[in-house]
């Protein structure tokens, strides 16, 4: 009996020693393969890549066989020429994401010249932050996107400044579990920020975009058959949230006449939420369409625009569109928003513009539009295009203030209940709207409404300001 006990103790001791050795070996192995690589203009491509002996060029860092938990750090305040390419990572030991950023004082610049600055492909976990990405200019030789994240998941992108690319500043393609924050995209061509997926699959999903600015992205000079010059655009995606973002002065140099860009919008997408955003003074080409603030376009389902401010866009504040060939459009909500003087340059001539080129009401149905303020001292509140057949569109508890007619086009198919309206010219057009009558009210004067567009510049304050406006002018 005693011999058995001794033998067991000996086994336990041996096991503990082996376990300790394995832990030590594991830590040593982890340290051996998980490391940070530094890049500095004062470094050498013959160096080790350590902080004391950094590499000098992007071409050298591209030659490294990275592990999934490695890091790349560029010297802050310096500019590096080339395209950083990351993909097909070796397995790592730790659960840390692959990390790309700056070190030292300030942010580093990756100058892609005529190409992209960063290309990320098929990475399972990555964190990219605190960098400036620069191209040679949308009309000066660049022909690419600034940063491309393709078929990745568990992605964090934070604090990037992106400019000078002919396509999108930031392109997220066919990726999931992505958080994008504090990206400033300007002077790009096709879009500031673009979320895309595979056609028919909506395989970009669980995307969160916050605290971003897309401004002065004028248009792509090579796109002659479609729109360009968008602020933030989502397509072929599902479960996307855009909040606390701003889009302004986009689209003014689209090189064609036809369908145009919008500040913040989506198409062929499901479960998109756009909230607490400001979209203003966006434009389109002279004689072209759109140039609006927000848009739920063809094939959008189960989506919401709420607590947003749109003002002085050349197109409508709210594009409600279905184009021929798109997937069915249905079950969308626009609520608790404010539009001020939108849609008076392009074809909308109104704060909200409704259009359906499929000519099939089954393809365009179930819109709920409520508790919005549409103020337009130069145009109408709502405009139905000549092509706008639809089903089950409801407008209630809104405030409509317009220059002349409240509504342009045929509204008889829709339900209007408990709205307030006022026209500068006195053309209320109430009797022509189905279900108007005593269920809606005409304001005696517009002097009660005070515009807010020049008083709020912080998206984080939108909800409180809009709720105050709604409580002032709309009755329960």
């Amino acid at each position: 009996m005693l011999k058995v006990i001794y033998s067991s103790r000996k086994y336990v001791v041996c096991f503990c020693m082996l376990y300790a050795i394995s832990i030590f070996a594991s830590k040593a192995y982890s340290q051996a393969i998980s490391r940070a690589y530094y890049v500095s203009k004062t470094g050498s491509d013959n160096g080790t890549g350590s902080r004391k002996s950094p590499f000098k060029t992007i071409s050298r860092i591209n030659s490294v066989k990275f592990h999934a938990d490695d890091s790349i750090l560029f010297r802050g305040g310096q500019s590096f020429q080339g395209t950083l390419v990351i993909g097909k990572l070796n397995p790592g030991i730790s659960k840390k994401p692959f990390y790309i950023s700056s070190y030292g004082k300030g942010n580093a610049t990756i100058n892609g010249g005529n190409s992209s600055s960063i290309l990320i492909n098929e990475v399972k976990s990555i964190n990219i932050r605190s960098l400036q990405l620069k191209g040679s200019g949308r009309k000066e030789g660049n022909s690419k996107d600034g940063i491309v994240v393709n078929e990745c998941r568990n992605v964090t992108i934070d604090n990037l400044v992106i400019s000078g690319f002919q396509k999108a500043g930031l392109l997220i393609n066919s990726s999931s579990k992505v958080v994008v924050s504090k990206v400033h995209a300007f002077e790009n061509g096709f879009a500031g920020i673009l979320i895309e997926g595979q056609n028919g699959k909506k395989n970009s999903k669980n995307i969160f975009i916050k605290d971003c600015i897309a401004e002065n992205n004028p248009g792509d000079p090579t796109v002659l058959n479609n729109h360009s010059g968008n602020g933030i655009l989502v397509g072929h995606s599902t479960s996307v949230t855009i909040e606390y973002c701003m889009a302004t002065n986009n689209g003014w140099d689209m090189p064609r006449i036809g369908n145009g860009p919008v500040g913040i919008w989506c198409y062929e997408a499901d479960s998109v939420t756009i909230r607490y955003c400001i979209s203003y003074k966006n434009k389109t080409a002279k004689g072209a369409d759109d140039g609006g603030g927000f848009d739920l376009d063809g094939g959008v389902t189960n989506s919401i625009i709420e607590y947003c401010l749109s003002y002085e866009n050349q197109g409508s504040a709210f594009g409600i569109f279905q184009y021929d060939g798109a997937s069915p459009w249905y079950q969308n909500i626009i609520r608790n928003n404010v539009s001020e003087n939108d849609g008076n340059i392009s074809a909308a001539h109104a704060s909200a513009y409704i259009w359906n080129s499929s000519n099939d009401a089954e393809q365009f149905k179930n819109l709920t539009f409520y508790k919005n303020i549409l103020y337009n001292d130069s145009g109408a509140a709502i405009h139905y295009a000549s092509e706008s057949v639809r089903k089950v569109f409801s407008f209630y508890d809104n405030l409509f203030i317009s220059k002349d007619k409240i509504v342009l086009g045929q509204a008889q198919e829709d339900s209007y209940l408990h709205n307030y309206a006022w026209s500068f010219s006195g053309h209320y057009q109430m009797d022509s709207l189905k279900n108007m009558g005593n269920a809606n009210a005409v304001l005696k004067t517009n002097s009660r409404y005070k515009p807010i567009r020049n008083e709020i510049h912080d998206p984080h304050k939108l909800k409180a300001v809009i709720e105050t406006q709604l409580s002032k002018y709309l009755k329960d």
Side-chain angles (χ1 to χ4, degrees), residues 10-22:
K10 183 176 181 180
Y11 174 80
V12 170
V13 170
C14 290
F15 176 81
C16 290
M17 290 179 63
L18 289 171
Y19 180 76
I21 292 170
S22 69

Short mmCIF file of all heavy atoms in Angstrom, two decimals, residues 10-22:
data_model
loop_
_atom_site.label_atom_id
_atom_site.label_comp_id
_atom_site.label_asym_id
_atom_site.label_seq_id
_atom_site.Cartn_x
_atom_site.Cartn_y
_atom_site.Cartn_z
N LYS A 10 5.17 10.08 -7.05
CA LYS A 10 6.25 10.26 -8.00
C LYS A 10 5.71 10.64 -9.37
O LYS A 10 6.23 11.51 -10.07
CB LYS A 10 7.05 8.96 -8.09
CG LYS A 10 8.27 9.07 -9.00
CD LYS A 10 9.06 7.77 -8.96
CE LYS A 10 10.29 7.88 -9.87
NZ LYS A 10 11.08 6.62 -9.86
N TYR A 11 4.58 10.00 -9.73
CA TYR A 11 3.94 10.31 -11.02
C TYR A 11 3.44 11.75 -11.05
O TYR A 11 3.63 12.47 -12.04
CB TYR A 11 2.76 9.36 -11.24
CG TYR A 11 1.95 9.69 -12.46
CD1 TYR A 11 2.37 9.33 -13.73
CD2 TYR A 11 0.75 10.41 -12.33
CE1 TYR A 11 1.63 9.66 -14.83
CE2 TYR A 11 0.01 10.73 -13.43
CZ TYR A 11 0.44 10.35 -14.68
OH TYR A 11 -0.29 10.67 -15.79
N VAL A 12 2.84 12.20 -9.93
CA VAL A 12 2.34 13.58 -9.86
C VAL A 12 3.47 14.57 -9.99
O VAL A 12 3.40 15.57 -10.69
CB VAL A 12 1.56 13.80 -8.55
CG1 VAL A 12 1.26 15.28 -8.36
CG2 VAL A 12 0.27 12.99 -8.56
N VAL A 13 4.59 14.30 -9.29
CA VAL A 13 5.75 15.20 -9.35
C VAL A 13 6.27 15.29 -10.78
O VAL A 13 6.56 16.37 -11.30
CB VAL A 13 6.85 14.72 -8.38
CG1 VAL A 13 8.13 15.50 -8.64
CG2 VAL A 13 6.40 14.90 -6.95
N CYS A 14 6.38 14.15 -11.43
CA CYS A 14 6.88 14.13 -12.81
C CYS A 14 5.94 14.90 -13.74
O CYS A 14 6.37 15.66 -14.61
CB CYS A 14 7.02 12.70 -13.30
SG CYS A 14 8.36 11.81 -12.49
N PHE A 15 4.63 14.69 -13.52
CA PHE A 15 3.64 15.38 -14.34
C PHE A 15 3.74 16.89 -14.18
O PHE A 15 3.70 17.66 -15.15
CB PHE A 15 2.24 14.90 -13.97
CG PHE A 15 1.16 15.65 -14.70
CD1 PHE A 15 0.81 15.31 -16.00
CD2 PHE A 15 0.50 16.72 -14.09
CE1 PHE A 15 -0.16 15.99 -16.68
CE2 PHE A 15 -0.48 17.39 -14.76
CZ PHE A 15 -0.81 17.04 -16.05
N CYS A 16 3.88 17.34 -12.92
CA CYS A 16 3.98 18.79 -12.67
C CYS A 16 5.23 19.38 -13.33
O CYS A 16 5.20 20.48 -13.87
CB CYS A 16 4.02 19.06 -11.16
SG CYS A 16 2.43 18.73 -10.36
N MET A 17 6.34 18.63 -13.25
CA MET A 17 7.57 19.12 -13.87
C MET A 17 7.40 19.23 -15.39
O MET A 17 7.80 20.22 -16.00
CB MET A 17 8.72 18.17 -13.54
CG MET A 17 9.15 18.22 -12.08
SD MET A 17 10.48 17.07 -11.72
CE MET A 17 11.78 17.72 -12.74
N LEU A 18 6.78 18.23 -15.99
CA LEU A 18 6.55 18.26 -17.42
C LEU A 18 5.61 19.40 -17.82
O LEU A 18 5.81 20.06 -18.84
CB LEU A 18 5.97 16.92 -17.89
CG LEU A 18 6.93 15.74 -17.86
CD1 LEU A 18 6.17 14.45 -18.14
CD2 LEU A 18 8.03 15.93 -18.90
N TYR A 19 4.57 19.62 -16.98
CA TYR A 19 3.62 20.71 -17.25
C TYR A 19 4.31 22.06 -17.20
O TYR A 19 4.10 22.92 -18.05
CB TYR A 19 2.48 20.66 -16.24
CG TYR A 19 1.45 21.74 -16.44
CD1 TYR A 19 0.51 21.64 -17.47
CD2 TYR A 19 1.41 22.85 -15.61
CE1 TYR A 19 -0.42 22.63 -17.67
CE2 TYR A 19 0.46 23.84 -15.81
CZ TYR A 19 -0.45 23.72 -16.83
OH TYR A 19 -1.39 24.70 -17.03
N ALA A 20 5.16 22.26 -16.19
CA ALA A 20 5.89 23.53 -16.06
C ALA A 20 6.80 23.75 -17.26
O ALA A 20 6.90 24.86 -17.79
CB ALA A 20 6.70 23.52 -14.76
N ILE A 21 7.47 22.68 -17.67
CA ILE A 21 8.36 22.79 -18.83
C ILE A 21 7.56 23.16 -20.08
O ILE A 21 7.97 24.00 -20.89
CB ILE A 21 9.14 21.47 -19.04
CG1 ILE A 21 10.13 21.28 -17.89
CG2 ILE A 21 9.86 21.48 -20.38
CD1 ILE A 21 10.78 19.91 -17.88
N SER A 22 6.37 22.52 -20.22
CA SER A 22 5.55 22.79 -21.40
C SER A 22 5.06 24.23 -21.42
O SER A 22 5.01 24.86 -22.47
CB SER A 22 4.36 21.83 -21.46
OG SER A 22 3.44 22.12 -20.43
#
